Structures are given as structure tokens and as C-alpha cells.
Amino acid sequence: RAAHRRAPLLPTEGRRLHRVSPPAAAAMAVKIEFPEHYALCFVPLALSWIMNFFLVIQVAIGRKRYNVQYPNLYAPPGHKDADKFNCIQRAHQNTLESWSMVMVTMLAVGLVYPISAAAAGTAWVLGRFVYGIGYALGNPSFRMPGGLLSHVGDFPLMGMAFRIAYMAMTDPATVTAAKGYAKTHTGLEL
């Protein structure tokens, strides 16, 4: 007996969902092409999840070792091991503060510079491992080598993003489109 497949639900202009037959749904598919080697950007993206898990485990071990109870994010004032635990926690928190932006930037600039973006993303992730290990040693100055290695990754990503933005802003077609938009929507002649 053949399995009955239900047609997918798709929104219409009136925001109501209706069923579309499989041939019609297939005709609406959009093909997206990525540059050659773009898949390399998924290596540092995947590694970043492992890196975050590593930092989470360091914090969990630190909580138990130094008896820092939830819901305290950091050791409370006066805790005898506050500096030791807080260094471990700070390594994780500092990484979380930039993780999403670095990965989004890497994936975006990877559309133009896939190999360079993947290499920079990998440097950032490896730097975060070194950063977390160094900071967890209990001396904030031990985080510096990992911080520097991380910047070997995130600074080039920022540079590539700025370069792409500059190229887009100075492209004659983009300038013409922006002038047309300004004239159409604001009445300004640029």
C-alpha cells in the first residue's frame, strides 16, 4: 500500500495556510548556490560548538571544586576562591559575548572569501580554547596568548567585512541604485 503524503502548507497573501500539491511546491523551490569551498566555513562553526562545550565543562567543574552555587553567575563577594572560579567563568562569558558575531561574520564574508574566512574562524576558535585554558589557571594574565590568537581570527574577519562593505558602497551599480531609491522614496536628487 502506498503511503499517502500530505501536500505542504504554504502561506498565501491573506496569511491563511493552504495545501499545495507536490508538483506546485517543487516548482516554487529556490536554488541557492554558494561559492566553491564555502563548506569549509562549517569546520570552525562546528568546532566552536565543541569549544563552547569545553568551556561549559570547565565552569561546571569549577563550580563543584570551588563550591559556587547557582544562581550565582560568579562567586559571591568574600568567597575564598572567588578569583579562581571567576577566572574560569569569565573565560566562558567573554567567549559568549563575541561567539555569535564572529561566526555570523565568518559565514557572511565566507560568501566572498570562503577559504580566508574559514581560516580566520578556525584561528578564533583555537584561540578561544587557549584563552579558556589559560584563564582557568587562575591568573588573568594567562589569558593573553589565547586572546591574541583569537584576534588573529576576528580582526581579519572584520577587515574582510569592511572591505566587502567598501566595495559594495563604491560599486557604480550600487550608487546608482541608492540614488534611485532616494529619489523614488524621498524625492531627493543625489
Side-chain angles (χ1 to χ4, degrees):
R1 180 175 170 210
H4 175 70
R5 283 199 226 171
R6 296 186 74 171
L9 289 173
L10 297 175
T12 60
E13 288 182 46
R15 299 284 186 219
R16 298 183 78 207
L17 297 175
H18 70 281
R19 297 228 177 256
V20 177
S21 66
M28 294 180 352
V30 176
K31 183 178 180 181
I32 299 174
E33 292 188 29
F34 294 96
E36 188 176 11
H37 307 300
Y38 183 76
L40 289 173
C41 291
F42 287 87
V43 172
L45 180 64
L47 289 174
S48 75
W49 284 95
I50 295 168
M51 172 269 306
N52 183 58
F53 188 63
F54 168 75
L55 295 174
V56 166
I57 289 172
Q58 278 194 303
V59 172
I61 291 169
R63 279 191 181 283
K64 187 172 183 175
R65 179 180 295 146
Y66 300 119
N67 194 27
V68 176
Q69 303 301 315
Y70 286 108
N72 294 321
L73 184 60
Y74 292 97
H79 190 284
K80 67 180 180 112
D81 293 311
D83 286 345
K84 292 176 184 174
F85 175 76
N86 290 348
C87 283
I88 297 168
Q89 177 68 328
R90 188 67 199 128
H92 185 230
Q93 286 300 121
N94 182 265
T95 299
L96 292 178
E97 291 164 8
S98 58
W99 183 19
S100 60
M101 195 63 184
V102 171
M103 291 294 109
V104 167
T105 302
M106 179 197 64
L107 293 171
V109 302
L111 294 169
V112 179
Y113 306 112
I115 296 172
S116 297
T122 301
W124 183 82
V125 171
L126 294 176
R128 293 280 95 183
F129 272 110
V130 174
Y131 184 86
I133 291 167
Y135 219 161
L137 294 174
N139 184 340
S141 65
F142 293 166
R143 75 191 193 285
M144 297 309 252
L148 292 172
L149 182 54
S150 295
H151 290 316
V152 169
D154 61 11
F155 286 169
L157 288 171
M158 285 187 280
M160 287 182 267
F162 284 122
R163 185 173 197 288
I164 294 166
Y166 175 79
M167 290 182 335
M169 291 185 328
T170 58
D171 179 62
T174 303
V175 172
T176 301
K179 286 180 179 180
Y181 181 86
K183 184 176 180 181
T184 303
H185 296 287
T186 65
L188 293 174
E189 187 79 37
L190 300 177

